[in-house]
Amino acid sequence: MSTISWDEFAKVELRVGRIIKAEPFPEARKPAYKLVVDFGPEIGQRKSSAQITSHYTLDELVGKQVVAVINFPPKQIGPLMSECLVTGFPDENGAVVLCVPDKDVPLGGKLF
């Protein structure tokens, strides 16, 4: 593992948002959902693809707060232009478990 400076870490915009829309993403190569995440009035809404189908249903995702990187360049994923990276950790089988705040926090808040 290499080390980074605080200044390098500070460049990563890890922000909290709320999933406001979740739909199937049948065009994805691996099972995934299309998400729309609201990061509040300053940042707005961003689209993302997330391979989280093992642990989450569409219904339980809407309203959930998540932590996402918002300053990567947009990335084309099939027909979807992904505008943020929703973060998570792999479980013992490699399925993604979302990284979420354990209490509601203001949308757009930066992780530090």
Side-chain angles (χ1 to χ4, degrees), residues 17-22 35-38 61-64 66 98:
R18 186 176 310 280
I19 297 172
I20 59 170
K21 186 175 183 182
L35 304 177
V36 177
V37 183
D38 180 12
L61 287 170
V62 174
K64 183 178 283 297
V66 293
L98 289 170

Side-chain angles (χ1 to χ4, degrees), residues 14 56 66 106:
L14 282 158
Y56 304 96
V66 293

Side-chain angles (χ1 to χ4, degrees), residues 17-65:
R18 186 176 310 280
I19 297 172
I20 59 170
K21 186 175 183 182
E23 19 182 65
F25 191 8
E27 303 91 350
R29 285 184 293 189
K30 295 181 180 179
Y33 294 139
K34 293 181 201 175
L35 304 177
V36 177
V37 183
D38 180 12
F39 293 96
E42 183 182 318
I43 298 165
Q45 298 176 4
R46 303 273 177 103
K47 296 176 187 169
S48 187
S49 168
Q51 296 173 1
I52 54 175
T53 58
S54 293
H55 288 291
Y56 304 96
T57 65
L58 295 169
D59 290 338
E60 69 183 304
L61 287 170
V62 174
K64 183 178 283 297
Q65 285 195 323

Side-chain angles (χ1 to χ4, degrees), residues 6 13 22 29 34 48 50 55 76-77 82 105:
W6 176 258
E13 291 285 330
R29 285 184 293 189
K34 293 181 201 175
S48 187
H55 288 291
Q76 191 73 46
I77 302 175
S82 180
V105 295

